[in-house]
Amino acid sequence: GRYEIMRNYMPKVGTLGLDMMFRTCTVQVNLDFSSEQDMIRKFRASLALQPIATAIFANSPFKEGKPNGFLSLRSHIWTDTDNNRSGMLPFVFDDTFGFEQYVDYALDVPMYFVYRNKTYIDCTGMSFRDFMAGKLPQVPGELPTLNDWENHLTTIFPEVRLKRYMEMRGADGGPWRRLCALPAFWVGLLYDDESLQSIIDMTSDWTKEEREMLRRKVPVTGLKTPFRDGYVRDLAEDVLQLAKNGLERRGYKEVGFLREVDEVVRTGVTPAEKLLNLYETKWQRSVDPVFEELLY
């Protein structure tokens, strides 16, 4: 029921929403915060760095059996799915940011549905603020429950999503070793105070335009994306070192999980580019071997 409502609504708000629904999936890392201030620091650091994670883990270069012109087509698809509910949330970097500002943002994201009597009722484009005032045309006079609000929060798709935990949504999926590298990457950066502060210091003077540029260009050029007087690969080297340092200080012998992405960052060659190289050489321009060689 939910998907039928989304399927009808997506083409009205972007050109790639149906691709998102039917052609993409990935794995995300969910992390805790201990207070509002802790959330703010982690949100800013992780949101600024999502494009770096997108680059390191880029792994969606094929579509309909051929190279698609992107290293992460999955990431690119999100840039024109529905910009009312996705993206890099510039307001997170405002001095006034906190729980209340995220709630204000979420209240203004157009609704998809309400769930009543085991049925999804189409409320696409409606305002949750109107619902709070009992003015939702589909259920007149009815007020939302906490469950309605929780459902609404699951229909927001920014690069980092806030619930009672934070979801890191920027990276493509991959083989199991890379699936283990992704949480190690984020834990090393966000669960260690020193590394977290280093990231905040590193990214604090990035402009909204620079963050948006990284978001749009990284899906195409990956670690070779120019940034200031270097490349995203240079950023990735610094960030990976901070992640390793953070894991070392945690003391749980987790650094080994990052071995899988060491070579990616050292060489600047993303997983997607490795696949494209196999496609052109060993696989003789066929994607079929992917299903044998990349089995779990």
Side-chain angles (χ1 to χ4, degrees):
R2 176 180 167 139
Y3 259 53
E4 189 179 359
I5 290 167
M6 290 171 69
R7 192 165 55 236
N8 294 332
Y9 182 64
M10 285 295 183
K12 299 173 186 172
V13 289
T15 62
L16 298 172
L18 297 181
D19 292 77
M20 180 280 286
M21 287 173 64
F22 298 113
R23 282 181 151 154
T24 70
C25 69
T26 188
V27 63
Q28 63 193 36
V29 175
N30 299 336
L31 295 171
D32 290 309
F33 50 85
S34 58
S35 66
E36 184 170 29
Q37 192 51 41
D38 188 45
M39 177 280 292
I40 293 167
R41 293 174 76 224
K42 285 173 174 166
F43 208 147
R44 287 177 180 157
S46 62
L47 193 53
L49 290 189
Q50 285 309 311
I52 312 307
T54 302
I56 294 171
F57 291 87
N59 196 40
S60 45
F62 301 122
K63 174 181 167 180
E64 294 175 7
K66 297 186 182 66
N68 58 35
F70 292 86
L71 300 180
S72 177
L73 181 61
R74 184 205 61 82
S75 177
H76 170 72
I77 281 170
W78 279 108
T79 65
D80 197 14
T81 289
D82 179 350
N83 287 328
N84 282 320
R85 65 186 76 243
S86 60
M88 293 290 282
L89 307 188
F91 66 87
V92 170
F93 298 91
D94 294 347
D95 292 341
T96 54
F97 179 65
F99 289 140
E100 189 174 349
Q101 286 65 32
Y102 193 84
V103 168
D104 281 338
Y105 158 72
L107 283 171
D108 288 324
V109 170
M111 291 175 67
Y112 276 163
F113 56 77
V114 291
Y115 190 62
R116 290 290 182 275
N117 305 320
K118 299 188 178 170
T119 305
Y120 287 96
I121 301 166
D122 188 334
C123 297
T124 46
M126 296 291 131
S127 152
F128 206 94
R129 285 188 196 273
D130 287 350
F131 194 9
M132 299 273 285
K135 293 180 182 165
L136 200 62
Q138 290 82 346
V139 284
E142 219 176 297
L143 294 171
T145 63
L146 196 55
N147 204 38
D148 290 323
W149 175 243
E150 287 180 359
N151 273 333
H152 181 60
L153 289 179
T154 69
T155 69
I156 301 172
F157 311 120
E159 291 298 283
V160 175
R161 180 162 68 183
L162 181 62
K163 294 182 177 171
R164 282 181 285 190
Y165 47 86
M166 306 178 76
E167 303 175 349
M168 310 289 122
R169 298 170 53 87
D172 284 354
W176 71 266
R177 279 193 182 86
R178 221 175 299 141
L179 295 188
C180 295
L182 187 62
F185 177 78
W186 287 118
V187 165
L189 295 171
L190 302 188
Y191 276 14
D192 175 77
D193 236 28
E194 209 176 305
S195 288
L196 177 56
Q197 190 55 50
S198 297
I199 293 299
I200 291 168
D201 294 342
M202 176 204 276
T203 58
S204 62
D205 70 339
W206 293 8
T207 64
K208 173 187 166 184
E209 290 73 25
E210 284 177 318
R211 291 191 299 267
E212 196 52 45
M213 177 278 291
L214 288 172
R215 171 74 192 89
R216 293 195 171 264
K217 290 192 174 173
V218 157
V220 187
T221 44
L223 291 166
K224 298 177 178 71
T225 307
F227 183 77
R228 295 191 176 177
D229 53 0
Y231 294 90
V232 166
R233 180 188 154 198
D234 303 319
L235 291 174
E237 284 187 313
D238 294 342
V239 168
L240 187 60
Q241 191 55 55
L242 288 171
K244 288 178 183 175
N245 296 347
L247 291 176
E248 288 279 6
R249 282 189 289 268
R250 264 166 67 83
Y252 296 124
K253 299 188 174 152
E254 297 159 316
V255 181
F257 290 119
L258 289 175
R259 237 176 265 137
E260 181 66 15
V261 293
D262 265 341
E263 187 195 353
V264 174
V265 172
R266 192 179 72 250
T267 60
V269 178
T270 61
E273 287 160 301
K274 280 192 160 175
L275 292 178
L276 288 167
N277 184 46
L278 285 165
Y279 172 85
E280 292 293 348
T281 55
K282 184 180 173 193
W283 297 351
Q284 300 178 324
R285 300 180 73 83
S286 164
V287 296
D288 293 348
V290 103
F291 300 106
E292 284 152 34
E293 295 197 22
L294 296 184
L295 277 176
Y296 278 71

